[in-house]
Amino acid sequence: MLRRVLIARRLSALTACLVAVLASVATPAIPAAADGSGRVSLRVEAPAAFRMYSADEGAKAANSDFGVPVAVERSDAGPARNVRVTVDTSGLDGVARAGKGGGGNCTQDGPVFTCVYGDVQNGDGESNNPFTLNGVDGVEPGDSGTLTYTVVADNAAPVTGTTRMTVGGPSLHTPADDESVKALAPGTTRKTTPRFANHSRFAAEQGVALRISADDGLLLTSRPDNCYFDTSSTSAWCEFSTKAAPHTAYRTSSPVRYTAAAGELLGTLSYTWSSDPERPAELTVRGTEPPLTLTRTADRGLTGDTGYVKATTTVQVDYQPVTATVRGRVGQTVTVQLGVRDNGPGRPSSAETLGRFEVVPPEGTTVTSIPYTFEDDGGDWACTRPKKQGGAFVCEIGYDGFSEVCHEGGTTVIGFKIRIDRQVPGAKGTIRTSNPFDRTPRNDKAFIPLAASPALYDSTAIRTAASAAGIAAIVTLAIVHRRRRNRAAVGTNS
């Protein structure tokens, strides 16, 4: 009896051990978070509704802007591991065709797209655009379908969602040519009248909206009460109830006013029209002036997608050359600092508008290098060398060679290594500065004088002197030898 009990106890112990081992193999260990759960929470931030394309675009439409952002709710549980997103586009049948997007971490299986997001840090997020939507012919404004998607991770509960994908109203076209404005003084008001055309067979049943953006120092000063603005007066959205008819053009009943901020060199006003009005959430300041309305106009040049007003102000950037004398002895190579002084008051905003200076070295000299440093490296020529002897070295101060020495609103100079080949009395090189906004040309040019001293020694003269001394020595030795011989002859005869 005792034997049976012992055997039973041994079998029970073996069974318990085996179960523990199998459990450890079948269930991977998950690192415990601070709360002991090891689990994270995912959140999908894809939009509830998305406009795919305009009905009149049909099969020509392509849109790859739809993304599926996934966020990890902040916690102490560590990152979300091995996040994957699966999107089913079968609900778009008849209104759009989904093809593989540009992301290399997404794959397609028929209408289903799977994207691997990998590990996503806690409190952070990732997004991917899994596909490109292509339009189909024969659709009407308002036609729609539904996307479904599922997000999973190794240590999170799955999250699902849907997005209603809609075919939009007709495309509205702006002027194809930019409007150019010259000599806009800061604080001075100018006006433009936005226009559009509906070239499609569809009416804009929901009305239309105008979106205006002022950039590079321009400010919007109009305040119609059917428009909403941001607090910086650089963005506006205006809604019109007019159902723009097919094959018809319109303009605003009153122009839109704008001005340039102080110190700005350039400005751009851009605008677009939409037949699917939806006010941006960030535009909260409503205008107080009488509303803008629409009136019909001639359909001339209205084939663009965005209307532009490009303005140049009266503000200038006055450049002045920084020059120096090439001073040294013939045969020496000296370093001469040459460049520009930025007298303002405006400030260029891009490499192309920073301008340049051009250097023609004095006669009797040779530029051997213009060394520069760029990201702990560099080269011998910060400026473009002339193709012909006597040409100018062109120094574009907005590019790599000047990155270490460029000072907007200050002095930008770089060292020219110049060899003095010979003395040329009165020789002068030139340096000339330029930029698109310099309207004071009288101080754009300066001279680079040459002050060359003779070399410490003249090798030709030394060789000539040495030759003369040698000949003199030979003659002297010959005379001495002859005298000694004559004396010896006289002694013998006596």
Side-chain angles (χ1 to χ4, degrees):
M1 190 71 175
L2 180 61
R3 179 180 176 85
R4 289 180 182 174
V5 171
L6 290 173
I7 292 173
R9 285 177 180 174
R10 288 172 182 171
L11 286 173
S12 298
L14 288 171
T15 302
C17 292
L18 182 59
V19 169
V21 170
L22 290 174
S24 66
V25 172
T27 306
I30 299 176
D35 61 2
S37 70
R39 307 284 284 175
V40 298
S41 295
L42 302 177
R43 184 177 71 251
V44 184
E45 299 178 340
F50 184 82
R51 179 183 180 277
M52 296 185 291
Y53 59 96
S54 295
D56 56 284
E57 293 180 289
K60 296 180 294 183
N63 187 342
S64 56
D65 293 338
F66 182 79
V68 184
V70 176
V72 181
E73 299 283 3
R74 188 173 296 281
S75 70
D76 295 329
R81 296 192 303 275
N82 192 23
V83 178
R84 290 97 64 202
V85 176
T86 301
V87 185
D88 187 347
T89 67
S90 58
L92 302 182
D93 189 35
V95 294
R97 294 174 293 106
K100 187 177 178 183
N105 58 339
C106 297
T107 58
Q108 180 181 4
D109 183 10
V112 178
F113 295 80
T114 301
C115 300
V116 178
Y117 284 36
D119 293 351
V120 181
Q121 296 302 311
N122 201 284
D124 203 350
E126 278 295 338
S127 183
N128 213 298
N129 295 34
F131 48 71
T132 296
L133 290 170
N134 297 286
V136 296
D137 290 329
V139 293
E140 300 280 331
D143 287 351
S144 63
T146 300
L147 280 181
T148 60
Y149 36 83
T150 302
V151 183
V152 298
D154 290 350
N155 58 334
V159 178
T160 60
T162 62
T163 297
R164 195 67 176 168
M165 312 290 280
T166 307
V167 176
S171 305
L172 305 179
H173 295 284
T174 62
D177 296 330
D178 297 345
E179 181 181 339
S180 180
V181 175
K182 304 292 185 183
L184 174 60
T188 301
T189 297
R190 293 289 181 92
K191 302 175 182 179
T192 188
T193 302
R195 299 182 295 139
F196 75 88
N198 177 8
H199 295 143
S200 77
R201 62 185 179 88
F202 307 108
E205 295 293 345
Q206 301 181 58
V208 299
L210 169 66
R211 181 68 186 266
I212 310 173
S213 295
D215 300 301
D216 303 326
L218 288 191
L219 301 172
L220 293 169
T221 55
S222 289
R223 288 293 183 273
D225 74 354
N226 60 328
C227 300
Y228 291 82
F229 302 83
D230 63 354
T231 55
S232 63
S233 300
T234 58
S235 187
W237 180 89
C238 307
E239 185 174 16
F240 303 84
S241 60
T242 304
K243 298 180 180 181
H247 308 293
T248 307
Y250 297 83
R251 63 172 175 81
T252 56
S253 55
S254 302
V256 172
R257 304 187 307 274
Y258 62 92
T259 188
E264 297 296 334
L265 301 168
L266 299 169
T268 301
L269 192 76
S270 61
Y271 64 87
T272 57
W273 293 88
S274 172
S275 59
D276 299 284
E278 184 178 352
R279 175 164 64 92
E282 68 273 15
L283 303 183
T284 58
V285 181
R286 186 170 181 173
T288 57
E289 299 174 357
L292 283 175
T293 59
L294 295 178
T295 184
R296 293 197 179 191
T297 190
D299 185 356
R300 294 195 185 96
L302 298 174
T303 58
D305 296 320
T306 303
Y308 289 99
V309 178
K310 302 290 184 67
T312 303
T313 72
T314 56
V315 178
Q316 75 153 339
V317 183
D318 179 29
Y319 276 180
Q320 180 179 350
V322 175
T323 187
T325 300
V326 181
R327 189 182 303 277
R329 294 183 179 276
V330 171
Q332 279 188 319
T333 297
V334 297
T335 299
V336 182
Q337 299 292 330
L338 303 172
V340 302
R341 181 175 296 109
D342 181 353
N343 297 325
R347 294 288 173 261
S349 59
S350 66
E352 289 76 14
T353 57
L354 278 173
R356 62 171 60 175
F357 65 93
E358 300 180 7
V359 171
V360 177
E363 184 183 355
T365 67
T366 300
V367 177
T368 59
S369 68
I370 311 170
Y372 67 94
T373 301
F374 176 66
E375 295 181 349
D376 299 325
D377 200 352
D380 291 332
W381 298 102
C383 306
T384 303
R385 288 174 283 179
K387 294 181 179 179
K388 296 181 180 180
Q389 183 68 25
F393 291 81
V394 179
C395 304
E396 303 282 357
I397 65 176
Y399 293 92
D400 293 351
F402 287 83
S403 61
E404 300 288 336
V405 297
C406 184
H407 300 288
E408 291 184 44
T411 297
T412 294
V413 295
I414 197 163
F416 279 63
K417 300 287 186 181
I418 301 179
R419 185 182 66 238
I420 302 173
D421 299 321
R422 65 185 189 280
Q423 287 181 289
V424 180
K428 294 179 180 179
T430 58
I431 176 171
R432 188 186 302 273
T433 65
S434 64
N435 73 71
F437 310 104
D438 189 342
R439 303 185 184 95
T440 311
R442 62 180 178 274
N443 66 348
D444 290 350
K445 180 180 177 181
F447 293 107
I448 306 169
L450 172 63
S453 302
L456 289 175
Y457 58 86
D458 188 326
S459 58
T460 302
I462 288 177
R463 286 196 299 271
T464 302
S467 298
I471 292 171
I474 292 171
V475 171
T476 301
L477 288 173
I479 293 173
V480 170
H481 179 71
R482 181 179 295 174
R483 286 177 178 176
R484 286 178 178 174
R485 190 176 57 186
N486 290 339
R487 287 174 183 171
V490 171
T492 303
N493 293 332
S494 61

